[in-house]
Amino acid sequence: MPGRATTLADLAGGQSGVICDVSGSVDCAISRRLVDLGFAPGTEVTVLRRAPLADPVIYQVSGYEVALRRAQACCIHVVTGA
């Protein structure tokens, strides 16, 4: 299933993707915290809604909702179906 690689921050509302990597370019503690929150490789994530100024964004991951700011969402790489 070839897909398009992008970052979580670039997904549109309602769009889903599968996490393929949490960037090592951020602090190791931040990467670890994102994985602890459920943003682990192989996990499906869906954009639910955005705040009025587009930051933060609410994502559904591992059966619950998590709000992330764009800076953190840019560190998470996903593959979409299209």
Side-chain angles (χ1 to χ4, degrees), residues 36-80:
D36 289 345
L37 286 170
F39 294 96
T43 305
E44 184 173 359
V45 62
T46 303
V47 179
L48 294 180
R49 59 191 174 276
R50 297 183 186 279
L53 296 176
D55 197 25
V57 177
I58 308 294
Y59 299 96
Q60 183 173 23
V61 61
S62 300
Y64 63 97
E65 297 177 6
V66 179
L68 288 182
R69 295 215 175 269
R70 183 168 178 78
Q72 286 79 37
C74 284
C75 300
I76 301 171
H77 300 102
V78 298
V79 176
T80 61

Side-chain angles (χ1 to χ4, degrees), residues 4 6 8 10-17 45-48 59 80-82:
R4 187 175 73 93
T6 188
L8 191 57
D10 295 328
L11 294 182
Q15 192 174 11
S16 295
V45 62
T46 303
V47 179
L48 294 180
Y59 299 96
T80 61

Side-chain angles (χ1 to χ4, degrees), residues 5-30:
T6 188
T7 67
L8 191 57
D10 295 328
L11 294 182
Q15 192 174 11
S16 295
V18 176
I19 298 170
C20 58
D21 183 41
V22 178
S23 178
S25 65
V26 296
D27 184 353
C28 184
I30 293 172

